[in-house]
Each structure stands twice: as structure tokens, then as C-alpha cells.
Amino acid sequence: MAGERPFIPLGIAVLTVSDSRTLENDKSGDTLVARIREAGHQVAARAIVPDDKAAIFNTVRDWTLAEGVDVVITTGGTGFTGRDVTPEALEPLFEKRMDGFSAIFHRISYEKIGTATIQSRATGGVANATFIFVLPGSPGACKDAWDGILKAQLDYRHLPCNFVEIMPRLDEHLKRGAGGV
């Protein structure tokens, strides 16, 4: 079809935040990796870190600075228990918050699990010209976020708009200099 946009594969890093998961039993990370690959993207990195603010922050910050990482998706640590610290670890890194991601995620989640969705603090933002999505630690939540939001928004062919088409402009503020001119 004339004028059809080409698919642009992205480099997507997956971070599981958990004190108990390993690569052998990380069903949420596996769910994301399978969907990323199925969509035609590359898994740029994958790791598991404990529920520790510094470990979460440092891993994601390093990925946002790495060549070949366009998107970071984390899973785990978005609840309300004492060890759930992923939003606190990553929101200070955000240059811009993506409130709409949380709103749409909760709408999708509500249709599946009802009011239990309020027990998640899923969030999203941009740091170092890299999109960051912070998801709950269940495979179902990862499926809902990918299938209901991320698959389309990370596909350049999705219209009327998508995240891929604005990626080249995410760091415009850095190019303008300190004066903002």
C-alpha cells in the first residue's frame, strides 16, 4: 500500500524488581520479553534487581544512557507494602511524567480485576530521551499494559500518533542550551 509507514524496531530493556524472582521463575519478565519479540522489537537488556531504590534507579538510569535502549519497562514493586519502592526510585529520574499511561492502564485493569487496580501505582515517564514504563509484578498486568497500550504506542505504523514518531524530539530541551532558546 502506497504511503504505508514501515515498522521501526526498538530496543527495549526489561527490569524485574523482586526480592524472590530469578530468570528461571520470572513469569512477568518472560511475558514482556515474549511480547516484545513477537512485535518485532529487540530485547536490549534484561535484569532482575531486588526491591532497593538505589539498585532500581541505577539500573534504569544506566539503561537510559545506553546506546540501543529506546524504552525501559519495569515490572514489580508498584504496590503499597514496605518493600514496594519502584515508583519512588524512578519518578525522580523522570524529566516528564506520563499521567495518561497510568490512567489508561487503570482503566484497562479495572475491566479485568475491578477495584483491585487501585493497589497498583503503575506510572510512566521520559528520562534521557528514553520512555520508561513502571508496571505491576503480575503477568496479567504486564499483558494488559503491553496488549492494551504499549504494543500500539511503540509501533510507528499506529495512527493517529505513537511514541516512536516523537522519539527524535525527546531531547530537544537539551539541544536548546541552558537559556531555553
Side-chain angles (χ1 to χ4, degrees):
M1 174 180 235
E4 187 173 311
R5 291 176 169 198
F7 177 76
I8 298 174
L10 303 176
I12 304 175
V14 176
L15 179 66
T16 299
V17 178
S18 174
D19 290 333
S20 60
R21 298 277 187 260
T22 65
L23 284 176
E24 291 75 36
N25 67 8
D26 179 18
K27 293 184 187 329
S28 296
D30 290 344
T31 296
L32 289 168
V33 165
R35 279 170 160 66
I36 289 164
R37 289 183 175 146
E38 182 180 293
H41 299 295
Q42 301 296 316
V43 176
R46 182 176 181 186
I48 298 175
V49 298
D51 293 282
D52 175 80
K53 281 186 192 180
I56 299 164
F57 178 91
N58 290 333
T59 301
V60 172
R61 184 207 51 224
D62 290 352
W63 283 348
T64 68
L65 297 170
E67 190 74 26
V69 177
D70 303 300
V71 178
V72 175
I73 304 174
T74 72
T75 175
T78 66
F80 290 99
T81 70
R83 298 289 295 156
D84 292 324
V85 296
T86 307
E88 289 81 6
L90 295 180
E91 287 177 346
L93 184 61
F94 293 172
E95 296 158 11
K96 296 189 179 194
R97 286 180 50 112
M98 191 182 307
D99 295 329
F101 174 78
S102 180
I104 297 300
F105 173 79
H106 284 294
R107 186 186 63 88
I108 292 167
S109 182
Y110 179 79
E111 293 174 10
K112 306 252 174 114
I113 64 170
T115 60
T117 190
I118 66 171
Q119 294 187 33
S120 164
R121 296 178 299 134
T123 188
V126 177
N128 299 315
T130 304
F131 287 107
I132 302 168
F133 301 99
V134 179
L135 309 180
S138 73
C142 292
K143 288 176 190 175
D144 291 346
W146 183 268
D147 296 348
I149 305 169
L150 298 176
K151 182 179 179 183
Q153 282 298 301
L154 297 176
D155 189 334
Y156 183 60
R157 301 168 297 185
H158 180 76
L159 298 173
C161 58
N162 59 75
F163 290 139
V164 181
E165 63 193 356
I166 63 172
M167 284 181 162
R169 300 188 335 252
L170 290 177
D171 62 356
E172 287 175 330
H173 65 291
L174 300 175
K175 295 176 185 172
R176 282 185 247 145
V181 180

